[in-house]
Amino acid sequence: MNQISDAAHSYMLFYRKQNNSSMLIYHFSFYLVSFVGHMPLQRPSPSDVLKGFVNEAKNETGSINATPKTQQKKGIPIPPQVVMQPFTSKNISRINGKAKMKSDVDESEGFCDLKYGSYCIWREENREEMHDSMVKKLKDQLFVARAYFPSIVKIPAQSKLSGEFKQNIQEVERVLSESTTDADLPPEIQKKSRRMEAVIARAKSVSLDCNNIDKKLRQIFDLTEDEANFHMKQSAFLYQLAVQTMPKSLHCLSMRLTVEYFRDHLFDKELSEKYSDPTLQHYVIFSNNVIASSVVINSTVVHAIDTVNQVFHVLTDWQNYYAMKHWFLRNTFRDAVVQVLNIEDPDSYGKATLSHLTLPVEFRVSFPSNDSAPAINNRTQYVSIFSHSHYLLPEIFKNLEKVVVLDDDVVVQQDLSALWSLNMGGKVTGAIEICSVKMDQLRSYLGDHSFQKHSCSWMSGLNVIDLARWRDLDISETYWKLVKEVSMKEGSALLATLLTFQDQIYALDRVWVLSGLGHDYGLDIEGIKKAAVLHYNGNMKPWLDLGIPKYKEYWKKFLNHEDQYLSECNVNR
């Protein structure tokens, strides 16, 4: 009985460290069955994997003199990322017929007996430091205690032990309900852990029916699996909610600015002569986020050699229009001027007005690296494209011939004036192409429409647009026709945009933009510093708490940390 609980407890520690509840449930249960061979197998799924595992585990139980090669293929499955090293006399010593690792071994675990298979030795060779190890240890003790407690309670002679069991379980449950990390644990937690360990040791010395223990363990496994599934679904929902919801601090800022605008509306000034001058450099930003659009403009101006010719047009909605107006009237950006437009105002733009503002659309596409690769190895790429609002540009800016469109999730790190002298060879827009995502790989979105299979997809974020060429080719009309044709299909916006601009993309040099700061943790820091524009495409935007911390500093340094409203609304944190 002691061998069963010790081995099961050791195996459970490994999978808890891997933070994989499902694997813990399945593999722990069958690891236990491998020692109690007479127990009936109750759990049918996942059948293909577990049937083979149980058979191998039973055959391996008595194999003490197995070779290292045999041990690597049988017994406890080794994670695919780990390459097991061969056993040598340097790392194993034998004491009374048992193998013990020469490295430090937890004495409470006992010696690594080879009859348990290769896992015990593998664990010592690949032991890693666990974070919050005491919390994990308490959870494991609670897990074992709950399995033994019902059987102990049924024995009248063990009434004292059952009382101690109940008291210790309640104490540990209370501690874990208030603590999630080791730092949260009370000072006397070591004593509580030792008391629980002592009670469990006494329970192991009592003669119990293994079937009862096994039945209780299975009940706990089922509850753990259900709880893990619930938390996984809840986490996914809360993640999406956090991504799509404006943070409280930004909502506070927008409301404060709106109120202040109506208190001081005479402060409003217009510089219409610059807004429509085609000889100047015009930048367009679609945004409903005051701080995000401000960072884009500030970072562009800071790195510009000459700002007197720079004109920024921020296109927003009714809800944020007055907040945007007040913010850009009370903040100056060297010699550049900022115009705020309400794209939802029918009196200003007539048929060019949409019922609501639409921001650049991001698609998360996943496809195999090659035809034979399993689905688990699929590559994932975020593709950001134009929204409906972008196709109103030729009508909103009727006097302009060229604009540079910046998404509100970018940060500019170099002077962009060179973009205005680009010769795009008659192409409508200049963009960064993503040749890792071919049009053919997006055929699930593109359907039966004709497209060039081997052409690259492209990204919004930084786009140079030739409005004159756009009008000549009637790009907007082509887009709206395609939208009507594919309106019922998934990814209709992606399909319509890619087909509309087929053969009309001028590929910008990739040094202009580095994408992925909103989803990719592995970007090279040197590459980030050298890029002209950083694009935070993905769900983890820099103004969200979910933003990737090591990338946030490149965005935050363009905030005005001394601004009164930012401080009052706690935006600077």
Side-chain angles (χ1 to χ4, degrees):
M1 192 66 200
N2 291 340
Q3 290 179 345
I4 296 173
S5 57
D6 287 340
H9 178 65
S10 300
Y11 191 57
M12 181 178 61
L13 282 174
F14 167 71
Y15 275 108
R16 277 192 177 277
K17 187 170 69 174
Q18 305 302 319
N19 292 323
N20 192 325
S21 300
S22 298
M23 291 296 292
L24 184 150
I25 293 163
Y26 288 124
H27 291 288
F28 180 35
S29 61
F30 284 95
Y31 185 81
L32 182 62
V33 171
S34 70
F35 287 93
V36 191
H38 64 276
M39 292 184 185
L41 184 61
Q42 303 273 336
R43 198 169 189 85
S45 62
S47 57
D48 293 339
V49 176
L50 294 180
K51 285 180 180 178
F53 172 75
V54 174
N55 292 333
E56 291 185 5
K58 288 181 177 180
N59 294 335
E60 188 69 16
T61 303
S63 179
I64 299 179
N65 299 318
T67 64
K69 181 176 181 182
T70 303
Q71 291 175 345
Q72 188 169 346
K73 292 184 177 179
K74 295 185 179 181
I76 309 305
I78 298 175
Q81 299 87 347
V82 179
V83 178
M84 185 173 176
Q85 300 297 324
F87 303 148
T88 64
S89 58
K90 294 181 180 180
N91 55 18
I92 301 178
S93 63
R94 303 194 64 82
I95 301 178
N96 297 328
K98 295 184 178 182
K100 178 183 177 182
M101 302 303 300
K102 289 186 177 181
S103 58
D104 293 338
V105 180
D106 186 353
E107 293 182 359
S108 64
E109 300 289 342
F111 294 151
C112 284
D113 196 326
L114 288 181
K115 75 177 182 180
Y116 290 153
S118 62
Y119 166 68
C120 188
I121 297 175
W122 177 89
R123 183 192 62 190
E124 299 304 331
E125 290 182 340
N126 298 274
R127 184 183 294 273
E128 297 179 6
E129 182 181 356
M130 289 194 301
H131 297 291
D132 303 312
S133 57
M134 179 54 70
V135 170
K136 291 181 173 66
K137 180 179 179 180
L138 291 173
K139 289 181 179 179
D140 293 337
Q141 289 179 337
L142 187 61
F143 187 90
V144 176
R146 285 171 174 170
Y148 276 96
F149 179 66
S151 299
I152 296 295
V153 170
K154 294 178 182 179
I155 303 177
Q158 299 296 333
S159 58
K160 182 178 179 181
L161 178 59
S162 63
E164 294 178 7
F165 240 131
K166 182 178 180 180
Q167 180 181 355
N168 281 276
I169 289 174
Q170 290 175 343
E171 288 182 0
V172 173
E173 286 177 339
R174 184 173 62 255
V175 169
L176 292 177
S177 67
E178 300 171 353
S179 308
T180 56
T181 65
D182 285 358
D184 301 330
L185 295 172
E188 68 278 5
I189 193 59
Q190 292 289 350
K191 294 182 179 179
K192 293 181 184 294
S193 177
R194 285 195 293 269
R195 284 200 297 267
M196 174 67 87
E197 190 172 350
V199 171
I200 293 174
R202 289 169 57 189
K204 292 178 180 179
S205 64
V206 178
S207 297
L208 298 173
D209 186 352
C210 290
N211 287 322
N212 291 337
I213 302 295
D214 173 66
K215 187 181 297 183
K216 186 60 182 177
L217 281 172
R218 292 179 187 276
Q219 292 175 356
I220 296 176
F221 296 154
D222 290 336
L223 291 174
T224 304
E225 183 178 21
D226 292 341
E227 185 178 1
N229 290 333
F230 167 77
H231 285 298
M232 183 172 63
K233 293 177 181 179
Q234 184 185 56
S235 175
F237 170 76
L238 293 176
Y239 177 80
Q240 290 299 322
L241 184 65
V243 167
Q244 299 173 14
T245 304
M246 178 179 289
K248 182 179 179 181
S249 57
L250 298 186
H251 180 74
C252 163
L253 178 64
S254 182
M255 294 300 100
R256 288 291 306 274
L257 291 171
T258 300
V259 171
E260 292 300 323
Y261 174 84
F262 287 103
R263 286 181 180 175
D264 192 18
H265 63 278
L266 295 178
F267 186 56
D268 195 347
K269 298 178 182 178
E270 292 291 338
L271 299 173
S272 56
E273 67 280 358
K274 276 198 168 186
Y275 297 157
S276 57
D277 187 349
T279 64
L280 302 180
Q281 299 176 2
H282 294 266
Y283 297 87
V284 177
I285 303 167
F286 293 88
S287 180
N288 57 9
N289 187 325
V290 177
I291 287 300
S293 54
S294 180
V295 167
V296 175
I297 295 174
N298 191 29
S299 63
T300 305
V301 169
V302 165
H303 294 98
I305 297 175
D306 182 13
T307 62
V308 71
N309 292 324
Q310 289 184 325
V311 181
F312 293 89
H313 307 271
V314 181
L315 277 63
T316 189
D317 53 12
W318 271 116
Q319 182 177 347
N320 297 280
Y321 174 68
Y322 297 106
M324 291 275 197
K325 290 280 286 186
H326 191 67
W327 177 265
F328 289 111
L329 286 170
R330 69 188 299 270
N331 289 279
T332 58
F333 301 89
R334 294 174 64 183
D335 296 323
V337 296
V338 181
Q339 180 189 25
V340 179
L341 301 174
N342 178 10
I343 202 172
E344 299 175 358
D345 184 5
D347 296 332
S348 299
Y349 311 110
K351 68 174 183 177
T353 305
L354 288 174
S355 59
H356 63 279
L357 171 71
T358 55
L359 301 178
V361 185
E362 289 190 346
F363 288 87
R364 183 176 179 269
V365 296
S366 181
F367 43 84
S369 302
N370 54 67
D371 295 336
S372 61
I376 194 172
N377 295 325
N378 283 0
R379 285 194 300 118
T380 299
Q381 181 75 49
Y382 285 82
V383 179
S384 177
I385 62 169
F386 288 167
S387 69
H388 293 334
S389 296
H390 285 72
Y391 294 90
L392 304 178
L393 289 173
E395 297 182 53
I396 295 177
F397 303 104
K398 294 181 179 180
N399 296 325
L400 303 183
E401 297 181 355
K402 191 175 186 179
V403 296
V404 171
V405 178
L406 298 170
D407 288 358
D408 67 355
D409 58 351
V410 304
V411 170
V412 178
Q413 298 191 124
Q414 296 178 20
D415 179 44
L416 300 182
S417 59
L419 294 173
W420 298 95
S421 60
L422 282 178
N423 180 5
M424 297 195 297
K427 302 295 185 181
V428 174
T429 181
I432 299 296
E433 287 190 333
I434 314 174
C435 290
S436 60
V437 182
K438 302 287 187 180
M439 296 281 276
D440 184 49
Q441 294 170 319
L442 299 174
R443 56 184 175 270
S444 60
Y445 293 98
L446 301 178
D448 298 329
H449 290 266
S450 59
F451 56 89
Q452 297 178 3
K453 295 184 178 181
H454 299 293
S455 61
C456 302
S457 59
W458 54 277
M459 289 277 288
S460 68
L462 170 67
N463 301 97
V464 184
I465 297 180
D466 185 341
L467 292 179
R469 184 63 175 163
W470 185 308
R471 297 185 187 100
D472 292 341
L473 298 177
D474 206 357
I475 293 293
S476 296
E477 186 64 24
T478 302
Y479 174 77
W480 294 119
K481 286 181 180 179
L482 284 170
V483 167
K484 290 180 181 179
E485 291 179 12
V486 300
S487 59
M488 300 303 293
K489 292 186 178 181
E490 182 183 3
S492 58
L494 177 63
L495 167 58
T497 295
L498 291 178
L499 293 178
T500 298
F501 283 97
Q502 192 168 216
D503 296 326
Q504 297 301 328
I505 299 297
Y506 173 81
L508 296 177
D509 194 311
R510 294 191 63 84
V511 299
W512 279 106
V513 181
L514 177 65
S515 301
L517 280 81
H519 68 89
D520 189 349
Y521 283 85
L523 294 178
D524 179 52
I525 299 300
E526 290 301 318
I528 292 176
K529 294 178 180 179
K530 293 178 181 178
V533 176
L534 304 178
H535 190 190
Y536 289 80
N537 62 312
N539 289 330
M540 293 178 280
K541 304 298 184 186
W543 54 84
L544 298 176
D545 290 338
L546 295 172
I548 301 176
K550 64 179 179 180
Y551 302 151
K552 280 187 176 183
E553 60 180 277
Y554 301 101
W555 185 85
K556 283 188 173 183
K557 66 182 179 181
F558 295 106
L559 292 176
N560 180 6
H561 297 283
E562 297 179 357
D563 186 88
Q564 173 187 354
Y565 295 135
L566 296 188
S567 300
E568 292 177 355
C569 291
N570 200 25
V571 176
N572 285 330
R573 62 186 178 85

